[in-house]
Amino acid sequence: MNCTWQAGRDAPADTQYFLYWQKSIEDNQMECELYIKAENGRNMGCIFQNVSIGHEKAYFLVNGSSKDSLIQFYDEYINMYKIEKLMPPSNITVNCDEIKNDCIIQWQQPQISHSNKDMCFKYEINIKYKVRISSLTFDINSYICVRNDRYEFQNYNEKKRYTVKIRARGENCLVSSNWGEWSKPIEFGKTMVVF
C-alpha cells in the first residue's frame, strides 16, 4: 500500500512528517516501514508491505514536527476496500468456433485479499478490430459489461484480427466500485493484411 501527502502551505522548511496507521481497533498503531522522501529529505509518502484489507475502517494519522512551530496533524478513518486499486483479471483465454461464428472469452477474477467470490465483480470487456475503407484504417471498439467470468462474442469474423482487454470493479460486496486496471490486450483471429 502506498500513501502520499503534501506539506502544509505554511509549513516551516524543517517540518518533518510521520505516518501511523491502525488496521482495526484491536490492533496496535504502526509507524510507516519505508518513507518516500522529497528532494529536501522531507517524508512525503509511505510504502507499507503485506497489507491485508479487512471489513473495519483503518485509522491513519500524519503527524508533523518542527523546531519553529506546532504542526497540525491530519487523521482519517478509511474503508480500505473503497480505495483499493483492482488489478486486472488474469488468465484470459479466447476459444473461437469458426462454424458457429462465435468465441468464448473466459478469465479469472482480480486477486484481492478479502474475498474470493466472483459474484463481487462486474467486468468491462473491450473488443477492438480494424476496418479498412479505401486507403484509411479505422479502429472499431465494442464495450460490453457482464457480471460473470465468461462472455460469448458472437458474429466473429475469422478474417479479422481482434484484441480483447478486460477490467473489473466491485459490485454488491466490500470491493472498490472504481474500475481497475485494464488487462494486457490478447489477440485472436487472423492477421490483417494491409496492401
Side-chain angles (χ1 to χ4, degrees):
M1 172 177 68
N2 291 352
C3 301
T4 58
W5 57 87
Q6 293 180 343
R9 238 187 355 252
D10 300 324
D14 74 331
T15 303
Q16 185 57 280
Y17 294 98
F18 304 95
L19 174 70
Y20 300 89
W21 87 299
Q22 189 173 356
K23 183 177 173 182
S24 69
I25 295 170
E26 295 85 31
D27 292 329
N28 292 327
Q29 214 174 62
M30 296 182 294
E31 185 177 355
C32 175
E33 300 163 341
L34 178 62
Y35 283 106
I36 301 167
K37 297 193 178 286
E39 291 176 10
N40 62 2
R42 181 182 286 166
N43 297 336
M44 298 308 297
C46 176
I47 299 172
F48 287 101
Q49 298 180 353
N50 301 320
V51 173
S52 62
I53 296 175
H55 303 295
E56 295 182 39
K57 287 186 176 183
Y59 175 70
F60 291 86
L61 169 70
V62 178
N63 249 339
S65 66
S66 167
K67 295 177 206 160
D68 299 329
S69 65
L70 293 174
I71 305 299
Q72 176 68 41
F73 69 89
Y74 173 82
D75 68 339
E76 186 173 355
Y77 286 92
I78 299 173
N79 281 317
M80 299 283 282
Y81 71 87
K82 288 185 177 181
I83 62 169
E84 180 178 24
K85 291 185 180 178
L86 295 175
M87 298 301 293
S90 59
N91 297 330
I92 299 169
T93 60
V94 181
N95 294 305
C96 297
D97 185 330
E98 293 176 6
I99 296 170
K100 292 182 181 177
N101 287 340
D102 71 2
C103 299
I104 303 299
I105 303 169
Q106 294 180 293
W107 57 89
Q108 289 181 339
Q109 72 179 37
Q111 295 299 310
I112 56 175
S113 63
H114 55 285
S115 177
N116 61 0
K117 300 176 191 167
D118 194 50
M119 67 182 151
C120 289
F121 295 97
K122 181 176 187 176
Y123 301 96
E124 184 176 31
I125 304 165
N126 171 237
I127 299 173
K128 181 167 83 172
Y129 64 94
K130 294 189 182 297
V131 172
R132 187 172 174 91
I133 299 173
S134 297
S135 62
L136 301 174
T137 302
F138 300 94
D139 284 340
I140 304 296
N141 283 287
S142 297
Y143 291 90
I144 305 104
C145 285
V146 298
R147 297 234 351 119
N148 55 14
D149 59 359
R150 182 180 193 274
Y151 175 71
E152 184 177 349
F153 174 52
Q154 299 179 341
N155 300 321
Y156 164 69
N157 182 336
E158 66 183 44
K159 295 178 182 175
K160 292 182 181 169
R161 187 73 174 161
Y162 298 88
T163 60
V164 62
K165 57 185 181 177
I166 305 170
R167 64 182 179 170
R169 74 176 193 178
E171 191 167 274
N172 302 326
C173 291
L174 299 178
V175 178
S176 174
S177 60
N178 298 318
W179 284 112
E181 296 179 29
W182 284 105
S183 64
K184 290 183 181 176
I186 305 292
E187 294 186 346
F188 63 100
K190 301 289 183 196
T191 304
M192 188 176 105
V193 178
V194 178
F195 297 100

